[in-house]
Amino acid sequence: MPTAIRDVESRRLPDGIDGLEGYERALILVRRDARPVAQCTLPVRDGRLSGIALRRAVEEHASQAIWRADSEAELGWSGRDAGALPTRMTVAVCTRDRADDLERCLVALEAMPDDGQELLVVDSASVNPATRELVARHPRVRYLREDVPGADRARNRALRDARGDVVAFTDDDAVVDPGWLRALRASFGDPRTMCVTGLTLPLELETPAQEWFERSNQFGRGYERRVFDGLVHDPFLVAAAGASVNAAVRRTVAEHVGIFDESLDGGTPAKSGGDHDLFSRILLAGYRIVYEPSALVWHRHRREWSELRNTLFGYGCGVYAHLTAALLRGEPGAIRPAAGWLRSQLPGLARSLLRRPGAVPLDLALAELRGCARGPFALMESRRQLRRRGAAT
């Protein structure tokens, strides 16, 4: 049975939530004065959540977070650095042949408060004109075209062509919250903060594939603000910092740590890993990454089981491609997380083989492990393709 997604303001809790017929449970995001502070999952009875059950759940799961948010508001404390903030932001969406998703994404971006931000769509070698035609119907959005596919290639194009001091990236299958961009911008007060990431929640949980993705590979990183400082944190343990579906970087990142590695991520044999590779290099260079949960994005997970299996294969492939790239750059610290990640998968694989209750389905567990084994070879293949393209031009 699917899970409904609902959003409540703790100061104005409803007397109940109706219209939940066909749902077994509901994932509730709890806010305090629009700020996300907690979430909980409740069973649905006869297509409804009662007001009593909702209030009890908020008290149980969110009371401490609400108290903290109220205390910080009363004291005027946000935890953010007080330095100069970027004067202008650019939002970049890298896309390829997903016009339906992109339409929803652009509508949400245009619904944000207008602070003079620039909106960019980088079309990563779409094979039909639907993307260009869609963007033409959104006059606030600037269209850029890359004829060679590759998510990191498209991101680098955004960094080169952006007019903002900071480039905020989201995916075409994501919907940003109205306060998303302001929350990202507000965390760039420290000049050592090179990247800010945010909270990502599921847009829908309508299919078994979406349920399993959220259970095993969710993008959410919790409701506590965190600072990952390159002077003290392991630069290869960056998964906790977030992902490119919800991340902003200073446009000068290219000067200080280099551009996105175009042999990684979607559109290449490596499948993924470009965001975490850049995150690692940011920390290796001594800069900071801030995770700010007030910067909220809703992501539509893959709906079909085959899509989920391919996604998990791609994640495994990208992790080990990224770590292999680090080793080739002369970073032996990448060995430890590579070995540690593999060790951490073995108990789950055993549970899957024994078909224990709650275990990840075996085909998903094996898909991710196959991806890991493929990762180093995929990186080499990606780099050969890049060299051939360079030679051709």
Side-chain angles (χ1 to χ4, degrees):
M1 295 287 287
T3 300
I5 310 292
R6 295 295 184 268
D7 189 340
V8 299
E9 170 55 56
S10 59
R11 292 191 187 277
R12 298 181 298 277
L13 289 178
D15 294 330
I17 299 178
D18 296 304
L20 301 179
E21 291 80 8
Y23 291 100
E24 185 177 71
R25 57 198 162 267
L27 188 157
I28 307 296
L29 171 66
V30 182
R31 299 181 190 249
R32 189 65 163 183
D33 300 325
R35 169 183 169 182
V37 294
Q39 69 183 63
C40 54
T41 301
L42 304 179
V44 171
R45 307 290 187 216
D46 300 320
R48 189 175 193 273
L49 279 179
S50 72
I52 293 175
L54 184 59
R55 284 190 292 274
R56 286 176 177 168
V58 170
E59 290 173 1
E60 178 181 354
H61 295 279
S63 58
Q64 184 175 355
I66 289 171
W67 175 85
R68 184 172 61 249
D70 288 348
S71 299
E72 291 173 0
E74 183 70 23
L75 295 171
W77 184 84
S78 66
R80 296 167 178 159
D81 302 296
L85 297 178
T87 57
R88 191 179 185 194
M89 304 283 285
T90 292
V91 179
V93 183
C94 302
T95 186
R96 187 170 193 242
D97 286 322
R98 292 208 298 221
D100 290 343
D101 279 331
L102 181 61
E103 171 72 17
R104 183 175 55 237
C105 176
L106 294 182
V107 168
L109 290 174
E110 291 175 324
M112 293 189 302
D114 186 355
D115 296 327
Q117 65 266 19
E118 176 188 32
L119 304 181
L120 281 182
V121 164
V122 184
D123 185 348
S124 181
S126 291
V127 298
N128 64 62
T131 298
R132 183 189 293 270
E133 293 168 356
L134 169 63
V135 175
R137 299 195 293 271
H138 292 264
R140 286 186 57 199
V141 182
R142 185 156 64 101
Y143 175 87
L144 300 174
R145 166 81 184 186
E146 278 292 317
D147 291 327
V148 177
D152 279 354
R153 184 183 183 93
R155 290 171 188 147
N156 287 335
R157 176 68 183 277
L159 287 174
R160 289 196 306 271
D161 284 39
R163 296 164 182 159
D165 305 305
V166 165
V167 181
F169 291 97
T170 192
D171 291 349
D172 54 11
D173 54 1
V175 174
V176 303
D177 205 56
W180 170 69
L181 194 60
R182 287 181 174 179
L184 290 175
R185 177 179 179 270
S187 289
F188 275 100
D190 189 316
R192 286 182 56 233
T193 297
M194 192 60 63
C195 174
V196 179
T197 63
L199 172 66
T200 303
L201 294 177
L203 180 66
E204 60 180 28
L205 293 174
E206 298 288 335
T207 70
Q210 291 177 325
E211 293 275 4
W212 272 108
F213 182 90
E214 184 63 18
R215 190 179 304 183
S216 60
N217 284 269
Q218 62 179 263
F219 287 124
R221 299 296 187 266
Y223 295 85
E224 295 279 347
R225 185 179 190 272
R226 298 182 63 188
V227 176
F228 300 85
D229 193 318
L231 300 180
V232 295
H233 283 87
D234 188 325
F236 296 104
L237 298 181
V238 290
S244 59
V245 64
N246 187 354
V249 297
R250 294 187 188 272
R251 192 158 50 89
T252 56
V253 70
E255 302 169 20
H256 297 294
V257 305
I259 60 176
F260 286 95
D261 185 339
E262 294 182 4
S263 65
L264 296 171
D265 230 299
T268 75
K271 306 290 187 184
S272 66
D275 48 1
H276 288 172
D277 180 76
L278 184 67
F279 293 174
S280 289
R281 287 187 280 125
I282 287 171
L283 296 184
L284 282 165
Y287 292 101
R288 306 191 325 164
I289 300 171
V290 174
Y291 170 72
E292 174 50 69
S294 295
L296 172 62
V297 161
W298 304 87
H299 179 258
R300 183 186 67 76
H301 304 336
R302 296 290 173 263
R303 291 169 176 155
E304 301 300 325
W305 198 262
S306 60
E307 292 177 316
L308 172 61
R309 192 164 52 240
N310 290 338
T311 295
L312 296 188
F313 174 86
Y315 286 172
C317 189
V319 165
Y320 277 76
H322 143 57
L323 293 174
T324 301
L327 285 172
L328 293 175
R329 291 195 303 266
E331 298 292 345
I335 295 174
R336 185 173 62 256
W341 191 93
L342 190 60
R343 283 196 304 271
S344 72
Q345 299 304 301
L346 295 180
L349 179 61
R351 289 175 56 82
S352 297
L353 287 167
L354 296 172
R355 304 192 186 280
R356 300 294 191 198
V360 174
L362 183 59
D363 65 327
L364 299 185
L366 291 176
E368 194 161 10
L369 287 172
R370 284 197 301 270
C372 295
R374 171 69 179 149
F377 304 99
L379 176 72
M380 298 299 104
E381 184 179 343
S382 289
R383 293 190 168 180
R384 283 194 296 271
Q385 289 182 3
L386 281 175
R387 286 195 295 269
R388 286 197 297 269
R389 286 177 185 143
T393 56

